[in-house]
Amino acid sequence: DIQMTQSPSSLSASVGDRVTITCQASQDIRNYLNWYQQKPGKAPKLLIYDASNLKTGVPSRFSGSGSGTDFSFTISSLQPEDIATYYCQHYDDLPRGKVTFGPGTKVDMK
Amino acid sequence: QVQLVESGGGLVKPGGSLRLSCAASGFTLSDYYMSWIRQAPGKGLEWVSYISSRTNYPNYADSVKGRFTISRDNAKNSLYLQMDNLRAEDTAVYFCARIGAAVYFDSWGQGTLVTVSS
């Protein structure tokens, strides 16, 4: 099974800071990688799909990149409303493929 | 707009059963794969199961295979998760989610809490 790791597990940053989270897969997953934001007590929200595609309506300060085994997620200028936990998620091809979430990165304000 | 509303959570004893439901609206359920994802208290997200759009082909995480059964009734715009032989480690908020064109979860319900405890 493919394992997903994220780093860091948590970080503190100031408003306006550039924040980068990395996600690493245990084997080549092409670009089958999505990113979600989850605020406390709420359901996750999709931000980025297929490694680098911004979901419609998501602010452009969010971006993703990478392919193969190494991926990154960036907030170009951190805003107070970005305080949340961020998860990467891998998928195998349907209809038999598995889905794996990374362990998450908690972002809070310094 | 797309709306997913879960129900059926609650307190159940180890070894017991529970059936979760997810009512879908704002889109044609039969056009989409659907999924259940859970989150134990204070923990990360764990994919549980998904079901294909028209052939109803199911897929399960190893942690629930043989104990959980996913199903859907497109005519009733509903997704289900039958959970049998529940264990303490199944305690979690269970979300239903729609699967988008690639395998991303583009819409989520608010979740329903399942607590397995004696």
Side-chain angles (χ1 to χ4, degrees):
Chain A
D1 290 355
I2 295 174
Q3 306 300 317
M4 307 299 296
T5 57
Q6 276 183 247
S7 62
S9 57
S10 65
L11 66 90
S12 295
S14 301
V15 173
D17 282 354
R18 183 180 184 87
V19 170
T20 297
I21 299 167
T22 63
C23 181
Q24 188 168 54
S26 58
Q27 62 190 74
D28 187 345
I29 62 170
R30 293 173 281 183
N31 68 332
Y32 291 4
L33 195 284
N34 308 314
W35 291 94
Y36 300 83
Q37 175 194 67
Q38 186 180 31
K39 297 182 179 180
K42 301 293 187 182
K45 291 184 177 179
L46 175 68
L47 300 180
I48 303 284
Y49 64 94
D50 288 348
S52 60
N53 295 295
L54 192 68
K55 183 188 175 187
T56 301
V58 173
S60 60
R61 64 180 179 274
F62 297 102
S63 65
S65 65
S67 67
T69 61
D70 296 302
F71 302 84
S72 64
F73 171 82
T74 298
I75 307 172
S76 60
S77 177
L78 187 70
Q79 300 302 302
E81 61 267 31
D82 300 336
I83 299 309
T85 300
Y86 293 85
Y87 295 92
C88 61
Q89 173 245 319
H90 161 64
Y91 59 93
D92 287 326
D93 289 321
L94 300 177
R96 300 176 188 277
K98 301 297 184 183
V99 174
T100 307
F101 286 93
T105 296
K106 186 175 182 180
V107 175
D108 60 30
M109 206 64 75
K110 192 181 292 182
Chain B
Q1 73 282 18
V2 174
Q3 192 170 14
L4 299 169
V5 179
E6 302 93 337
S7 61
L11 175 64
V12 61
K13 289 182 168 54
S17 297
L18 213 54
R19 189 194 196 207
L20 305 183
S21 299
C22 173
S25 60
F27 67 102
T28 303
L29 185 66
S30 58
D31 287 344
Y32 291 86
Y33 278 60
M34 296 294 294
S35 184
W36 290 96
I37 297 147
R38 69 185 181 184
Q39 186 168 37
K43 302 296 185 182
L45 300 168
E46 180 187 15
W47 169 71
V48 172
S49 178
Y50 65 69
I51 185 168
S52 65
S53 53
R54 300 195 185 274
T55 61
N56 291 342
Y57 184 88
N59 201 347
Y60 300 96
D62 291 344
S63 58
V64 306
K65 193 177 298 182
R67 300 187 300 121
F68 289 13
T69 303
I70 191 171
S71 63
R72 62 194 297 160
D73 185 334
N74 291 331
K76 293 184 177 180
N77 293 316
S78 292
L79 175 73
Y80 306 102
L81 185 68
Q82 177 66 40
M83 304 185 295
D84 297 319
N85 191 18
L86 282 160
R87 306 166 179 167
E89 55 265 35
D90 296 318
T91 293
V93 173
Y94 284 73
F95 297 99
C96 74
R98 189 179 79 169
I99 296 180
V103 186
Y104 51 76
F105 304 105
D106 64 357
S107 295
W108 298 64
Q110 83 290 349
T112 187
L113 177 62
V114 172
T115 303
V116 184
S117 174
S118 54

